């Protein structure tokens, strides 16, 4: 069981080798059409699917006639610009017969590592998923420079899975999983079907001759790096063969794959990260009613906030205390300190009037970790490395 059948949110990473056929014709439309049906089947079951798609540079090279030689960085970035639009056209055409809309989301590393940008990207992707749209994510290759790149879409896919609290990350690959050695030249190579821990031995296997197994930017080493990120974010990683018409159906039918189990749940990982890994930038003192509501799993509304302390920005972590000074919770605040001060004590309807905008509650229940009776965060503290303060 890959967990695919029961997952609520699934991220599928599709590499360039799958998307681009062997000829110079561009995207492999037959594969894309079959894959889109495969995704449509999951959506019909009520599951949300996000695709991380490579192929911008490859398609752009074909479009611009830049196939025959190594490219300079600006040429590669130009190819990505020309290829990304072709890539999206191919995805849109593939999903259209299923009545599904594909939406382009281009991210840079900061979007998943700087907390404020991360929260913003998360809100957008959440909204797309709630609208029934299929986000198609790629790195914004046209503007990122070498130093600030993810560089490979395996890791990008894991970061996105972490960001949206996905349950399963499927890395479609040109190999059907992890082996103890490179199966192409070692008859003794043993397939690994399920791993609950990524031990140094396993890392060593993927880091040796196996490291570059596979086409595309990411070999086995980057797949494991992705799995490590996903694991501590509560997301299972499945590495399986992509080059078949319906790779997700094949997975459900029990075709070979390697499953790397999560070490926690997405919600627990996220809350452990809020509770344990972030230095609070300020504090809110709340009245007894609000403190009780928080303990029942409710959001913190401006109306219940008595005092605002410290200088913090939107998206920063703050401590929530009751009037006796006891810590009740920690959470990510949706207003910067000045605005929080202005709306303290106000009813929700008055917030927009006071500020000219509203971001909803001071702290949403999803972004709150209760301080009493909470489990101690695991040593890995969930998110690794934690998105840093803006
Ligand atoms: N973002 C790159 C592209 O679209 C691909 C990176 C990768 O495949 O890992 O061409």
């Amino acid at each position: 069981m890959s967990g695919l059948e029961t997952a609520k949110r699934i991220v599928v990473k599709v590499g360039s080798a799958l998307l681009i056929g062997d000829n110079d014709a561009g995207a492999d439309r037959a594969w894309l059409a079959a894959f889109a049906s495969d995704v449509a089947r999951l959506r019909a079951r009520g599951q949300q699917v996000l695709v991380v798609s490579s192929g911008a540079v490859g398609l752009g090279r074909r479009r611009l006639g830049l196939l025959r030689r190594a490219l300079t960085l600006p040429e590669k970035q130009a190819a990505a610009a020309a290829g990304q639009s072709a890539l999206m056209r191919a995805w849109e055409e593939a999903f259209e017969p299923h009545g599904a809309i594909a939406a382009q989301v281009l991210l840079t590393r900061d979007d998943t590592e700087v907390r404020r940008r991360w929260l913003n990207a998360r809100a957008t992707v959440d909204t797309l998923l709630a609208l029934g749209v299929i986000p198609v994510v790629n790195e914004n290759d046209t503007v990122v420079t070498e130093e600030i790149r993810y560089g490979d879409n395996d890791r990008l896919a894991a970061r996105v899975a972490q960001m949206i609290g996905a349950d399963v990350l499927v890395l479609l690959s040109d190999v059907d999983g992890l082996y103890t050695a490179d199966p192409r030249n070692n008859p003794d190579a043993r397939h690994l079907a399920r791993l609950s821990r990524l031990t140094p031995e396993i890392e060593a296997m993927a880091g040796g001759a196996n490291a570059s197994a596979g086409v595309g930017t990411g070999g086995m080493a980057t797949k494991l790096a992705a799995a490590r990120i996903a694991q501590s974010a509560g997301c299972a990683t499945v590495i399986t063969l992509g080059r078949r018409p319906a790779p997700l159906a094949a997975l459900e039918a029990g075709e070979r794959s390697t499953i790397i189990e999560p070490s926690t749940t997405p919600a627990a990982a996220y809350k452990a990260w809020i509770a344990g890994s972030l230095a609070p930038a300020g504090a809110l003192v709340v009245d007894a009613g609000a403190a009780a509501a928080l303990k029942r799993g409710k959001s913190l509304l401006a109306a219940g906030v008595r005092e605002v302390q410290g200088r913090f920005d939107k998206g920063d972590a703050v401590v929530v205390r009751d009037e006796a000074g006891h810590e009740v919770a920690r959470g990510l605040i949706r207003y910067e300190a000045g605005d929080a001060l202005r709306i303290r004590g106000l009813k929700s309807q008055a917030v927009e009037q006071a500020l000219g905008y509203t971001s909803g509650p001071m702290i949403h229940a999803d972004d709150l970790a209760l301080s009493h009776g909470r489990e101690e965060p695991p040593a890995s503290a969930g998110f690794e490395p934690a998105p840093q303060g803006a």
Side-chain angles (χ1 to χ4, degrees):
M1 274 270 288
S2 59
L4 200 60
E5 297 84 347
T6 52
K8 289 193 208 61
R9 285 192 161 176
I10 300 157
V11 171
V12 187
K13 184 258 178 176
V14 174
S16 306
L18 291 174
L19 259 155
I20 304 175
D22 294 332
N23 49 32
D24 283 356
D28 184 341
R29 285 176 202 270
W31 185 85
L32 270 170
F35 177 69
S37 307
D38 208 10
V39 170
R41 192 174 51 79
L42 268 51
R43 291 179 78 243
R45 291 197 306 223
Q47 296 173 296
Q48 295 180 330
V49 183
L50 177 149
V51 175
V52 174
S53 174
S54 310
V57 176
L59 287 175
R61 293 181 77 139
R62 282 166 175 74
R63 270 189 106 180
L64 301 181
L66 293 172
L67 277 175
R68 316 264 166 250
R69 58 182 171 84
L71 303 187
T72 62
L73 182 62
E75 281 174 333
K76 248 192 242 168
Q77 295 187 299
Q84 182 62 32
S85 51
L87 184 63
M88 281 315 296
R89 192 164 65 229
W91 280 112
E92 278 170 16
E93 283 171 15
F95 284 126
E96 208 158 70
H98 305 283
I101 295 171
Q104 168 178 282
V105 179
L106 295 179
L107 298 177
T108 62
R109 209 170 65 187
D110 278 357
D111 294 317
T112 60
E113 290 185 2
V114 176
R115 191 164 58 250
R116 201 140 30 106
R117 294 179 60 164
W118 179 87
L119 287 168
N120 191 35
R122 183 182 69 167
T124 306
V125 175
D126 271 345
T127 305
L128 287 170
L129 290 169
L131 290 169
V133 170
I134 302 174
V136 178
V137 178
N138 196 2
E139 183 160 17
N140 197 351
D141 294 317
T142 300
V143 296
V144 291
T145 55
E146 219 45 65
E147 311 80 66
I148 59 158
R149 297 191 69 199
Y150 294 97
D152 69 83
N153 276 9
D154 292 325
R155 251 177 296 223
L156 168 63
R159 287 282 174 223
V160 171
Q162 172 185 46
M163 182 167 87
I164 65 165
D167 321 271
V168 178
L169 164 65
V170 182
L171 300 175
L172 295 181
S173 175
D174 57 349
V175 279
D176 54 10
L178 284 176
Y179 286 80
T180 52
D182 188 342
R184 291 170 304 185
N185 49 36
N186 193 331
D188 296 332
R190 216 163 32 79
H191 178 260
L192 300 165
R194 184 174 281 273
L195 300 168
S196 55
R197 285 195 322 122
L198 294 172
T199 59
E201 292 74 31
I202 290 162
E203 304 273 351
M205 282 171 205
N210 237 350
S212 61
V215 207
T217 324
M220 275 305 150
T222 69
K223 296 207 164 33
L224 270 193
R228 210 177 314 118
I229 294 168
Q231 180 168 60
S232 57
C235 177
T237 302
V238 185
I239 302 170
T240 193
L241 207 60
R243 186 138 279 299
R244 38 166 80 113
L248 304 175
L251 203 56
E252 288 180 29
E255 285 289 349
R256 211 171 232 217
S257 68
T258 296
I259 298 164
I260 298 134
E261 293 169 356
S263 56
T264 175
T265 65
Y270 183 54
K271 299 218 166 185
W273 170 68
I274 291 173
S277 306
L278 297 176
L284 302 176
V285 178
V286 302
D287 63 26
L294 295 188
K295 289 179 188 154
R296 292 197 308 271
K298 301 278 190 240
S299 296
L300 175 62
L301 305 178
V305 176
R306 286 278 169 88
E307 270 178 61
V308 176
Q309 301 162 349
R311 286 163 58 91
F312 48 82
D313 224 321
K314 200 176 154 151
D316 278 345
V318 296
V319 178
V320 180
R321 295 203 178 89
D322 63 18
E323 288 178 290
H326 299 305
E327 180 174 325
V328 181
R330 291 181 180 214
L332 303 185
I333 190 151
R334 296 192 163 191
Y335 299 86
E336 56 91 15
D339 285 353
L341 202 58
R342 244 165 266 140
I343 62 172
R344 145 193 78 129
L346 296 187
K347 292 244 184 306
S348 299
Q349 307 89 289
V351 167
E352 183 153 14
Q353 222 174 355
L355 298 180
Y357 76 94
T358 173
S359 300
M362 280 265 203
I363 303 178
H364 192 275
D366 289 348
D367 301 326
L368 258 168
L370 291 179
S371 304
H372 293 298
R374 71 161 198 251
E375 283 174 40
E376 272 313 302
S380 64
F383 287 48
E384 172 247 352
Q388 289 141 33

